[in-house]
């Protein structure tokens, strides 16, 4: 029976025109992952033309809230009703939102259209990776997973560069319009190439879970996005949002415990390999985003580089992560997931330790070395952890597993940006007060300034050298202090790698499906389903 199932899957994979599907999925992931970073570089120009300086934060918040709120629900629905329709739904909604964003005439309109865009973006990443596992032959999954990881890492760095170029040489509206031709090609390739077989089992929709998860995520995200920006952290609106999030998440967890087919199954987290991949991904992603955010600020604010230079400094990280992701994905059939992640997490930890030593005297080449190490440390997680997370799940659960992983990783990055922003601002203010001594007025004047604007090449020429030295010293010290806390995240990622156990991916025919003695046992599926799963990775000998 297993041979029959395997033959069926291989034949189906050929029928699906694998090359067309993979290119389409890669393009879909690229535009979705790139969107937030490419838009952030154009926000200054957008606000200058549309107005609404006090409302621009909603442009980013609306996208992220809609993306995260819909991600786990759409992943679960793709298990129930099929991947293709939800990938098509996601990219169609995303492109519709992009077109509308390009026509916006006010910040309010733009924020509403960004929410629509985020709803579509939330479907693309988890569903695309699940489709990959459904159609790619097991022996090729490592290589293709690495390609997906490389595209995801590349998009987060290419986005700001493209956004800067478009804003400077075209119009900010093309920041959104550029998604349309890329997205249409992705849509056409998947629609023409992917012929999904109707093997999905209809299940009961978890309405209580959906109705509590969405407002819980919305409350938490708005609290994180608006706190300290539009409202003080101790204000009634922010405290109320946090309280609502706590209550709604509690109700969601209760609903999931009682649901027949929960959106987020507790049984998945009883699987040690899945749980380990989730927690490693959470902490490593949060550490990674600290580097992505604060290295450009260091280059522009401390070293006096331009905005373009601060973006280009991330290119070494892009190249190293794009190389590490496919290499690690290919090695999953030769080495345990745990072994690969121990190596990459150790490199990430070393990189964060080096970044914590940054000063005003740090050579530029040393910053480049640090970024290469960050890329080598984070790249394998894009491919290895995604494969590990779906290792024990069949096609009925892969959508939920992939979306849960993506949801927690994205949430970790968002929380990381907020928390470490508070850490950096606090350290910057404290250091300014120390350096300026009794001149509290001078310290207060600079404490709330944006480092990008405060220390741009144009602004620096107008600052007295003595004051400039103190400002750059305070900024360098605060960024190094922030990376010191990033070491904690990288260390936690390294600790949780132990949860991955002793399994590695093997394609059918290379060994029997069994766990290593020291590894956790995979949860057993019942009856014929356990025998007929044609695309299940097997444990190492």
């Amino acid at each position: 029976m297993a041979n029959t199932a395997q033959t069926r899957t291989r034949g189906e994979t050929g029928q699906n025109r694998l090359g067309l599907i993979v290119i389409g999925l890669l393009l879909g992931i690229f535009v979705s992952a790139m969107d937030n970073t490419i838009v952030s570089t154009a926000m200054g120009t957008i606000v200058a033309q549309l107005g609404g300086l006090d409302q621009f934060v909603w442009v980013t918040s609306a996208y992220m809230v809609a993306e995260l709120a819909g991600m786990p629900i759409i992943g679960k629905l793709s298990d129930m009703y099929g991947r293709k329709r939800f990938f098509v739904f996601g990219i169609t909604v995303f492109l519709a939102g992009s077109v509308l964003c390009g026509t916006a005439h006010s910040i309010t309109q733009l924020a509403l259209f960004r929410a629509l865009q985020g709803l579509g973006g939330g479907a693309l990443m988890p569903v695309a990776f699940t489709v990959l596992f459904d159609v790619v032959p097991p022996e090729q999954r490592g290589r293709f997973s690495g390609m997906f990881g490389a595209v995801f890492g590349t998009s987060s760095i290419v986005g700001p560069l493209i956004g800067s170029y478009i804003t400077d040489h075209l119009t900010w509206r093309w920041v959104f319009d550029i998604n349309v031709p890329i997205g249409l090609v992705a849509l056409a390739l998947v629609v023409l190439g992917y012929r999904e077989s109707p093997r999905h089992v209809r299940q009961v929709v978890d309405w209580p879970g959906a109705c509590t998860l969405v407002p819980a995520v919305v409350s938490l995200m708005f609290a994180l996005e608006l706190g300290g920006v539009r409202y003080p952290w101790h204000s009634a609106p922010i405290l109320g949002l946090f309280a609502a999030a706590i209550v709604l998440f509690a109700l969601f967890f209760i609903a999931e415990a009682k649901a027949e087919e929960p959106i987020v199954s507790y049984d998945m987290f009883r699987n040690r390999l899945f749980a380990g991949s989730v927690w490693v991904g959470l902490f490593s992603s949060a550490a990674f985003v600290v580097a992505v955010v604060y290295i450009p600020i260091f280059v522009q604010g401390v070293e006096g580089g331009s905005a373009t230079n601060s973006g280009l400094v991330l290119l070494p990280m892009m190249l190293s992560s794009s190389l590490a992701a496919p290499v690690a994905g290919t090695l999953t059939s030769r080495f345990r997931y745990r072994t690969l992640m121990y190596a990459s997490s150790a490199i990430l930890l070393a990189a964060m330790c080096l970044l914590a030593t940054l000063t005003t005297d740090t050579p530029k080449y040393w910053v480049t070395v640090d970024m290469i190490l960050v890329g080598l440390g984070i790249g394998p997680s894009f491919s290895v952890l995604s494969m590990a997370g779906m290792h024990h799940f069949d096609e009925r659960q892969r959508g939920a597993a992939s979306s849960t992983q993506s949801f927690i990783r994205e949430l970790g990055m968002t929380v990381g940006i907020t928390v470490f922003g508070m850490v950096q601002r606090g350290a910057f203010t404290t250091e300014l007060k120390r350096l300026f001594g009794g001149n509290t007025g001078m310290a207060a004047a600079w404490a709330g300034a944006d480092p990008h604007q405060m220390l741009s090449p144009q602004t620096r020429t107008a600052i007295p050298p003595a004051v400039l030295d103190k400002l750059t010293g305070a900024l360098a010290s605060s960024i190094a202090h922030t990376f010191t806390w990033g070491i904690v995240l990288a260390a936690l990622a390294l600790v949780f790698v132990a949860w991955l156990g002793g399994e590695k991916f093997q394609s059918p025919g290379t060994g029997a499906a069994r766990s290593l003695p020291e590894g956790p046992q995979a949860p057993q599926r019942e009856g014929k389903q356990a025998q007929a799963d044609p695309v299940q990775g097997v444990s190492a000998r």
Side-chain angles (χ1 to χ4, degrees):
M1 181 177 294
N3 290 335
T4 302
Q6 181 178 336
T7 301
R8 178 186 64 185
T9 299
R10 291 179 182 276
E12 180 182 315
T13 301
Q15 178 187 11
N16 278 328
R17 305 174 191 177
L18 186 59
L20 293 179
I21 301 173
V22 170
I23 294 174
L25 296 176
L26 290 174
L27 290 175
I29 287 178
F30 181 77
V31 294
S32 174
M34 180 181 67
D35 191 75
N36 254 337
T37 57
I38 194 174
V39 171
S40 64
T41 59
M43 279 308 303
T45 303
I46 292 173
V47 171
Q49 293 190 15
L50 297 183
L53 179 62
D54 59 333
Q55 300 175 351
F56 80 92
V57 67
W58 293 99
V59 175
T60 301
S61 301
Y63 182 94
M64 298 189 70
V65 167
E67 179 187 39
L68 282 174
M71 191 177 288
I73 297 173
I74 291 174
K76 180 63 177 179
L77 292 175
S78 74
D79 286 336
M80 298 167 60
Y81 300 105
R83 324 278 186 218
K84 185 174 183 177
R85 66 182 64 185
F86 282 99
F87 183 86
V88 171
F89 164 81
I91 200 164
T92 301
V93 171
F94 180 82
L95 293 180
S98 298
V99 171
L100 291 172
C101 286
T103 64
H105 296 288
S106 69
I107 285 290
T108 302
Q109 283 186 348
L110 184 59
L112 291 174
F113 297 152
R114 285 281 286 165
L116 182 65
Q117 207 183 14
L119 180 62
L124 291 179
M125 179 65 70
V127 174
F129 206 94
T130 310
V131 171
L132 173 75
F133 256 62
D134 286 347
V135 302
V136 171
E139 63 272 12
Q140 298 182 37
R141 281 190 201 144
R143 178 165 60 90
F144 282 106
S145 297
M147 292 170 58
F148 274 55
V151 168
F152 179 78
T154 300
S155 62
S156 63
I157 302 169
V158 170
L161 299 177
I162 297 178
S164 298
Y165 181 85
I166 289 176
T167 304
D168 292 341
H169 297 89
L170 299 172
T171 170
W172 64 264
R173 298 183 185 277
W174 268 102
V175 167
F176 301 102
D177 294 340
I178 194 175
N179 294 328
V180 177
I182 301 174
L184 287 176
V185 172
L187 178 63
L189 291 176
V190 173
V191 169
L192 294 175
Y194 185 28
R195 301 190 182 116
E196 187 175 26
S197 60
R199 297 205 304 262
H200 300 280
V201 179
R202 298 294 178 92
Q203 304 168 17
V204 178
V205 177
D206 179 18
W207 291 112
C211 292
T212 51
L213 177 63
V214 171
V217 172
V218 169
S219 300
L220 177 61
M221 291 300 299
F222 276 139
L224 293 173
E225 291 290 316
L226 301 179
V229 178
R230 187 176 178 86
Y231 302 101
W233 287 105
H234 61 274
S235 65
I238 300 303
L239 294 178
L241 286 170
F242 276 124
I246 293 172
V247 172
L248 289 166
F249 271 118
L251 294 174
F252 170 72
F253 292 140
I254 294 172
E256 296 307 273
K258 298 179 179 180
E260 180 180 345
E261 293 292 343
I263 295 171
V264 178
S265 173
Y266 293 159
D267 288 337
M268 289 194 299
F269 285 91
R270 294 188 181 101
N271 182 317
R272 183 174 171 181
L273 182 59
F274 175 79
S277 67
V278 167
W279 297 124
V280 175
L282 170 67
F283 293 118
S284 62
S285 296
F288 167 66
V289 78
V290 176
V292 170
V293 170
Y294 287 103
I295 281 294
I297 293 178
F298 180 86
V299 171
Q300 188 173 358
V302 177
E303 297 182 346
S306 65
T308 302
N309 288 338
S310 67
L312 288 175
V313 77
L314 296 177
L315 285 178
M317 185 178 71
M318 176 192 72
L319 296 175
S320 58
S321 65
S322 298
L323 174 65
V327 170
T330 303
L331 292 176
T332 52
S333 62
R334 299 182 58 187
F335 298 96
R336 298 173 177 137
Y337 299 124
R338 182 178 62 190
T339 301
L340 294 171
M341 289 311 303
Y342 265 137
S344 66
S345 298
I347 294 174
L348 181 62
L349 177 59
M352 297 303 295
C353 290
L354 292 174
L355 288 172
T357 65
L358 293 177
T359 67
T360 54
D361 298 324
T362 301
K364 292 183 179 181
Y365 75 85
W366 195 245
V367 178
T368 301
V369 171
D370 290 345
M371 295 308 292
I372 292 174
L373 290 176
V374 171
L376 293 176
I378 196 64
S381 70
F382 296 141
S383 54
V384 175
L385 292 181
S386 298
M387 295 181 68
M390 288 191 281
H391 181 94
H392 285 304
F393 299 111
D394 59 32
E395 59 196 26
R396 299 175 304 170
Q397 297 177 295
R398 286 197 195 108
S402 177
S403 62
T404 299
Q405 272 191 307
S406 298
F407 172 78
I408 294 178
R409 182 186 285 251
E410 292 282 339
L411 186 61
M413 295 174 72
T414 303
V415 173
I417 291 173
T418 301
V419 171
F420 285 105
M422 295 170 59
V423 170
Q424 189 273 329
R425 286 193 297 271
F428 184 56
T429 301
T430 300
E431 189 66 11
L432 282 178
K433 291 179 180 178
R434 186 186 70 82
L435 292 175
F436 283 105
N439 194 344
T440 57
M442 179 70 76
W446 288 105
D450 178 4
H452 289 91
Q453 298 299 323
M454 178 184 70
L455 296 177
S456 66
Q458 295 78 15
T459 306
R460 291 168 73 93
T461 59
I463 301 176
V467 175
L468 181 61
D469 288 343
K470 292 181 178 181
L471 291 175
T472 55
L475 185 59
S477 176
S478 66
I479 291 175
H481 177 75
T482 304
F483 283 127
T484 300
W485 284 99
I487 293 174
V488 177
L489 294 174
L492 286 172
L494 184 62
V495 169
F496 276 97
V497 169
W499 278 30
L500 298 179
E503 287 136 320
K504 72 178 181 180
F505 180 81
Q506 287 185 340
S507 59
T510 61
R514 63 186 184 188
S515 296
L516 288 171
E518 69 271 27
Q521 295 296 324
Q524 298 297 317
R525 294 189 297 276
E526 297 180 0
K528 295 182 179 180
Q529 177 61 33
Q531 302 174 7
D533 182 8
V535 282
Q536 170 69 43
V538 297
S539 302
R541 287 185 180 274

